[in-house]
C-alpha cells in the first residue's frame, strides 16, 4: 500500500447488542481505528441499506437509524451524531457509471454502520456517507461497481463495508458458547483461503460452492459488502484478517482489510 492510500475494510458486524456489550470483536474494531491514518471521511456500504437502484446519503447531518426491533431501550437511545459529507456523495456519483440518487431525507447512518463506527471512531467526528446496495444487482455487478470506487482510497477516504460472510438467522443458537455449525465453519474457511490466495472469482461465484454456501448465505445482502472490499484490492496488495470467529453458531464475525 502506498503511504497515503487508505485501506479498504470489511467488518462482520454481528448483533446490534455489541454496541452495548464490548467483546473481542469490538475490541478489534477499536484497535483498528487507532491504527488507521485519520481519513477525511468514511464511505460505508452496509448490509442494512438495500434499495432499488444505487443511492448515496448526501445530507450534512445524517440521523442515527435504529433499524431493528425487540432490543432493549438502551440500544434505541444510542446516537452517532457524525456529520455527513455532501462533497463525498457528489464524488461517489461522479465515479460510478450507473445512475445514482443523492438521498437527503429518508436514510442516515444505520446500525450496520454505527455499531462498528462507534468503536472505530468513538467521538463521531469523522464525516460519514453511506452507499446503498442495489438489490437487483448480481454479485458480479456489485464487485464491478465497487472497483469504480478505488480512486477514493488515494483521496484519503476510508471505505468500510459492513455485513457478515456467514449470516443465517434461522439457524442461530442463542446459548453461550454455542458451537459453530459445520457448514458455517466450512464456508468461512473457504472464504478466507480463497481471499488470502487473491482468488476472487470463486468468492464472486459463491453459489457454486454448494450446500455450505447456500446455508451460509440464504439471502445475499450481508455477503455483498465483503465483495466491495475485495474489489478495492490493487496490484501488490493483500487481504489481512484482523478478527475472526463464528458467533451464535451461524454468524461469521470475520473482519479483514486490504492494504
Amino acid at each position: 500500500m502506498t503511504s497515503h492510500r487508505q485501506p479498504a475494510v470489511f467488518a462482520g458486524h454481528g448483533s446490534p447488542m455489541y454496541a452495548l456489550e464490548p467483546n473481542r470483536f469490538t475490541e478489534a474494531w477499536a484497535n483498528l481505528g487507532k491504527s488507521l491514518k485519520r481519513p477525511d471521511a468514511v464511505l460505508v456500504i452496509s448490509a442494512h441499506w438495500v434499495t432499488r437502484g444505487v443511492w448515496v446519503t448526501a445530507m450534512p447531518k445524517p440521523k442515527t437509524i435504529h433499524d431493528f426491533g425487540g432490543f432493549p431501550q438502551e440500544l434505541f437511545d444510542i446516537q452517532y451524531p457524525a456529520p455527513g459529507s455532501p462533497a463525498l456523495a457528489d464524488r461517489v456519483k461522479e465515479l460510478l457509471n450507473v445512475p445514482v440518487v443523492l438521498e437527503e431525507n429518508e436514510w442516515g447512518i444505520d446500525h450496520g454502520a454505527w455499531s462498528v463506527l462507534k468503536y472505530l471512531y468513538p467521538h463521531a467526528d469523522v464525516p460519514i456517507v453511506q452507499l446503498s446496495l442495489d438489490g437487483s444487482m448480481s454479485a458480479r455487478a456489485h464487485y464491478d461497481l465497487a472497483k469504480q470506487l478505488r480512486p477514493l482510497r488515494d483521496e484519503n477516504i476510508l471505505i468500510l463495508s459492513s455485513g457478515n460472510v456467514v449470516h443465517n438467522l434461522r439457524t442461530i443458537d442463542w446459548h453461550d458458547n454455542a458451537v459453530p455449525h459445520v457448514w458455517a465453519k466450512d464456508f468461512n474457511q473457504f472464504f478466507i483461503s480463497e481471499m488470502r490466495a487473491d482468488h476472487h472469482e470463486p468468492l464472486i461465484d459463491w453459489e457454486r460452492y454448494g450446500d455450505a454456501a447456500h446455508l451460509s448465505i440464504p439471502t445475499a445482502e450481508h455477503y455483498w459488502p465483503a465483495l466491495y472490499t475485495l474489489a478495492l484490492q490493487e496490484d501488490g496488495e493483500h487481504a489481512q484478517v484482523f478478527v475472526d470467529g463464528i458467533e451464535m453458531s451461524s454468524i461469521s464475525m470475520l473482519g479483514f482489510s486490504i492494504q
Side-chain angles (χ1 to χ4, degrees):
M1 185 178 77
T2 61
S3 60
H4 62 278
R5 180 182 296 154
Q6 283 287 351
V9 174
F10 173 79
H13 63 243
S15 169
M17 287 301 293
Y18 294 169
L20 293 174
E21 300 171 350
N23 51 48
R24 70 183 183 92
F25 305 112
T26 65
E27 181 180 2
W29 303 337
N31 289 337
L32 179 67
K34 293 172 185 174
S35 73
L36 296 175
K37 182 183 73 166
R38 183 181 174 88
D40 290 334
V42 181
L43 178 66
V44 183
I45 298 95
S46 165
H48 290 276
W49 194 22
V50 180
T51 55
R52 183 177 298 175
V54 177
W55 296 57
V56 61
T57 57
M59 66 285 286
K61 294 183 178 180
K63 61 187 176 184
T64 304
I65 297 175
H66 303 88
D67 49 329
F68 43 68
F71 289 95
Q73 183 59 42
E74 301 97 289
L75 199 58
F76 291 88
D77 291 340
I78 290 178
Q79 294 293 312
Y80 191 78
S85 174
L88 176 55
D90 285 338
R91 178 67 174 132
V92 170
K93 184 175 183 179
E94 180 182 88
L95 287 171
L96 299 182
N97 67 350
V98 297
V100 175
V101 178
L102 295 180
E103 202 288 306
E104 299 184 355
N105 299 299
E106 299 302 320
W107 208 247
I109 304 175
D110 65 49
H111 86 269
W114 60 254
S115 63
V116 178
L117 290 167
K118 177 180 182 289
Y119 293 97
L120 271 180
Y121 301 109
H123 301 297
D125 54 355
V126 178
I128 306 298
V129 168
Q130 281 202 220
L131 176 68
S132 76
L133 294 165
D134 182 344
S136 70
M137 289 169 52
S138 66
R140 185 169 300 279
H142 282 292
Y143 181 87
D144 290 342
L145 185 76
K147 281 185 176 183
Q148 299 166 32
L149 298 170
R150 286 180 177 180
L152 294 176
R153 296 182 56 204
D154 290 321
E155 298 169 14
N156 202 33
I157 302 300
L158 176 67
I159 302 177
L160 169 66
S161 301
S162 176
N164 297 96
V165 166
V166 177
H167 185 267
N168 190 330
L169 299 182
R170 296 192 294 267
T171 58
I172 279 179
D173 184 339
W174 292 99
H175 294 94
D176 290 339
N177 301 314
V179 176
H181 294 300
V182 172
W183 49 263
K185 289 181 65 176
D186 178 11
F187 186 77
N188 194 62
Q189 190 54 51
F190 162 74
F191 186 96
I192 293 171
S193 297
E194 297 295 331
M195 175 181 71
R196 282 180 165 157
D198 299 327
H199 294 163
H200 293 182
E201 285 299 311
L203 303 179
I204 297 169
D205 294 327
W206 60 269
E207 292 170 287
R208 294 187 179 187
Y209 192 68
D211 289 345
H214 289 274
L215 285 165
S216 297
I217 310 172
T219 58
E221 79 287 337
H222 273 73
Y223 183 77
W224 286 333
L227 297 181
Y228 277 71
T229 303
L230 292 178
L232 293 165
Q233 182 173 333
E234 300 274 11
D235 290 344
E237 294 185 324
H238 302 284
Q240 300 179 13
V241 173
F242 62 82
V243 72
D244 187 27
I246 304 289
E247 291 289 282
M248 296 177 282
S249 293
S250 59
I251 304 292
S252 167
M253 293 301 298
L254 173 66
F256 63 89
S257 63
I258 300 291
Q259 53 190 331

